[in-house]
Amino acid sequence: DAKTTQPNSMESNEEEPVHLPCNHSTISGTDYIHWYRQLPSQGPEYVIHGLTSNVNNRMASLAIAEDRKSSTLILHRATLRDAAVYYCILRDRGATNKLIFGTGTLLAVQP
Amino acid sequence: DTAVSQTPKYLVTQMGNDKSIKCEQNLGHDTMYWYKQDSKKFLKIMFSYNNKELIINETVPNRFSPKSPDKAHLNLHINSLELGDSAVYFCASSQSGSIIREQYFGPGTRLTVT
């Protein structure tokens, strides 16, 4: 599986948008970009995924660069509850269904 | 209703003991997983079962033996526990198919070996 690179940590203020970057320069044509997050003392939870086009759901938006070598998870209005570790994961449609987690980005949200 | 549940939530035991962790999902999924999160918070897949058949075994020691009595359950039995087995163990489930589907995780079982 191709690797991803994320900043170790980021900080945001409550009610402001947050842009969490992810670099995946070795992404292949069949790799989907998935985002999961892990709230403190909880299991990971799915956030969003995409292939080429930008995606929106109730939790977040995913902006994918035209060359697909990077993507950005956008939380439109951060809340204290969004403080978590955010993982950007590449998944090949043809591969087994396992998730390979990196170190992720620890997002701190200040009131 | 809890989608993926694990028991127990906490498990403290001594080296050399044998222990089991149970996992159940009520989502109707056909694939279940065990992940291990170590003290440095690194999450790694251990096993995956699809329709009660083992499909992923990530070079986990033989002391770890998963068992899937049916599609809704995946239990993890650990023999001769070692200090290095201390970690949080997460169960997850998903639905297989041609489209990659999200995985749903349980709340975790914190295992402490003394």
Side-chain angles (χ1 to χ4, degrees), chain A:
Chain A
D1 296 279
K3 289 192 175 180
T4 63
T5 304
Q6 299 176 253
N8 287 335
S9 62
M10 289 184 66
E11 219 173 82
S12 171
N13 294 320
E14 207 176 2
E15 305 285 313
E16 291 184 358
V18 182
H19 290 233
L20 297 161
C22 180
N23 286 323
H24 28 78
S25 57
T26 59
I27 191 171
S28 73
T30 54
D31 282 337
Y32 282 77
I33 303 159
H34 282 242
W35 285 81
Y36 280 73
R37 72 179 185 180
Q38 186 173 20
L39 301 171
S41 300
Q42 294 189 30
E45 65 174 343
Y46 167 81
V47 178
I48 200 167
H49 78 274
L51 182 62
T52 55
S53 305
N54 294 344
V55 184
N56 299 301
N57 66 20
R58 63 174 181 82
M59 287 182 73
S61 295
L62 177 59
I64 301 173
E66 203 168 324
D67 63 4
R68 300 206 331 123
K69 295 189 179 204
S70 65
S71 60
T72 302
L73 179 71
I74 303 166
L75 306 179
H76 294 286
R77 288 181 65 196
T79 68
L80 296 178
R81 198 196 170 279
D82 291 321
V85 178
Y86 286 79
Y87 298 97
C88 171
I89 302 168
L90 299 183
R91 299 182 69 189
D92 186 340
R93 185 168 51 187
T96 57
N97 210 15
K98 64 184 178 183
L99 290 171
I100 298 179
F101 288 87
T103 52
T105 297
L106 176 62
L107 175 66
V109 180
Q110 305 299 330

Side-chain angles (χ1 to χ4, degrees), chain A residues 30 32 34 36 38 41-46 49 87 91-94 96-103, chain B residues 9 31 33 35 37 41-43 45 55-56 58 90 94-96 98-103 105-107:
Chain A
T30 54
Y32 282 77
H34 282 242
Y36 280 73
Q38 186 173 20
S41 300
Q42 294 189 30
E45 65 174 343
Y46 167 81
H49 78 274
Y87 298 97
R91 299 182 69 189
D92 186 340
R93 185 168 51 187
T96 57
N97 210 15
K98 64 184 178 183
L99 290 171
I100 298 179
F101 288 87
T103 52
Chain B
K9 189 169 175 61
T31 306
Y33 314 79
Y35 287 83
Q37 187 165 41
K41 304 291 187 182
F42 185 59
L43 256 168
I45 179 89
I55 56 172
I56 297 175
E58 290 286 316
F90 290 100
S94 70
Q95 185 60 35
S96 65
S98 59
I99 300 172
I100 294 179
R101 298 186 188 276
E102 60 266 34
Q103 294 185 14
F105 285 77

